[in-house]
Amino acid sequence: MKPQFHLPLSTYPDASSFTIVGNAIDLARQIGADLLASIPQVRIPPIHPPFPTVVDVDSWRGQAEGYSRDSGASLRKYIADAASESGVEVRIHGFDAREPFVFECFAKIARSHDLSIVEASELSRQLSETLLLESGRPLILFPASSVCGRVDTVAIAWDGSVTAARAISCARIFAERLTKMQVISVIDDKQVDEANRSLLISSLRHSGFEVEDVSIQAGGQSPAAALQAAALERNADLLVAGGFGHSRLREFILGGVTRELLCNADMPVLLAH
């Protein structure tokens, strides 16, 4: 069965970058997947200020919708050119969406695909969170400033959580092309069940993978930074992690691996909730 990838592209208030389009097309080419790019025409609902204002609200609405339309046209043209050069067929799904429900529309589209591809940045964080929590599908984050290559080695961020286990299952879409796996645990972040961890490594080895057992300490780094540094040091191409293993509220108050990865990924990251 041919994998179906989803590329949600923002057109307002900020347009998605061309970099994420290139990354998505390259990933689809590697895996032999179909790629659908969803591009919204954002509609701004009428606004009726309760008091007189110097702002021409109707003019502002027109400018906002015009920016969304122009951004969508620019993205469509770039996709056509990039797809032609790569030989990958990219289908474009255009749709109307009213603010503030654009992200919910993206999540509904994502439910019909195997995964969604998003750029890791503060600007796209809310979109990524909505997809992760409401689509029921995994998410692949790409760095905002670099085009990434082949996925031959996968690093698994293992903490024993349900979401981490689900992420491993979602990552099997890459299994046929992998040469190596790494199981990385940050042992000074929280207690990890070593017996369960050993069972995971044994299971992966029995599945036919070469698996490296990596235990690290974060030291002065955040767990997210430590995981990415360890993976990159060992030449991993993709980090696989559970998303919001803690509650979303706890991560919002105290911070957490998921929120940091959504905004600042140094490498491609697969997240599943």
Side-chain angles (χ1 to χ4, degrees), residues 143-164:
S145 58
S146 61
V147 177
C148 301
R150 287 180 55 84
V151 178
D152 295 318
T153 302
V154 163
I156 298 169
W158 181 251
D159 59 2
S161 66
V162 171
T163 55

Side-chain angles (χ1 to χ4, degrees), residues 7-211:
L7 175 62
L9 295 171
S10 295
T11 60
Y12 176 84
D14 298 288
S16 295
S17 74
F18 293 158
T19 303
I20 190 61
V21 175
N23 282 331
I25 290 175
D26 187 51
L27 183 65
R29 180 185 57 78
Q30 290 181 46
I31 303 301
D34 286 336
L35 180 64
L36 180 135
S38 54
I39 302 177
Q41 169 58 59
V42 176
R43 303 296 182 186
I44 309 296
I47 300 173
H48 305 288
F51 303 103
T53 175
V54 297
V55 177
D56 187 339
V57 176
D58 290 335
S59 175
W60 172 79
R61 286 180 58 224
Q63 290 174 7
E65 293 185 359
Y67 180 82
S68 174
R69 181 179 60 253
D70 293 344
S71 297
S74 178
L75 287 166
R76 287 170 186 265
K77 182 179 185 307
Y78 184 83
I79 289 170
D81 292 342
S84 176
E85 291 179 6
S86 67
V88 174
E89 181 180 356
V90 182
R91 291 175 292 128
I92 294 178
H93 174 65
F95 63 100
D96 279 17
R98 286 167 63 93
E99 282 285 8
F101 305 110
V102 179
F103 295 160
E104 286 76 4
C105 292
F106 277 133
K108 289 179 181 179
I109 296 169
R111 292 170 194 160
S112 303
H113 297 78
D114 293 302
L115 56 82
S116 291
I117 302 167
V118 182
E119 193 167 83
S121 71
E122 181 60 44
L123 291 175
S124 60
R125 179 182 58 80
Q126 188 178 351
L127 168 60
S128 298
E129 287 187 357
T130 303
L131 289 168
L132 187 60
L133 295 171
E134 297 184 20
S135 73
R137 300 292 188 174
L139 185 69
I140 289 193
L141 300 167
F142 275 97
S145 58
S146 61
V147 177
C148 301
R150 287 180 55 84
V151 178
D152 295 318
T153 302
V154 163
I156 298 169
W158 181 251
D159 59 2
S161 66
V162 171
T163 55
R166 188 172 296 119
I168 294 173
S169 179
C170 293
R172 289 189 177 274
I173 197 168
F174 299 98
E176 292 182 2
R177 295 158 183 83
L178 294 182
T179 59
K180 189 175 182 180
M181 281 189 173
Q182 303 154 3
V183 176
I184 305 177
S185 297
V186 183
I187 58 176
D188 60 345
D189 176 45
K190 68 177 185 178
Q191 186 173 358
V192 177
D193 186 329
E194 286 299 331
N196 182 259
R197 187 171 180 278
S198 297
L199 192 60
L200 169 68
I201 293 171
S202 175
S203 176
L204 291 172
R205 286 173 175 162
H206 276 85
S207 295
F209 297 111
E210 178 186 349
V211 183

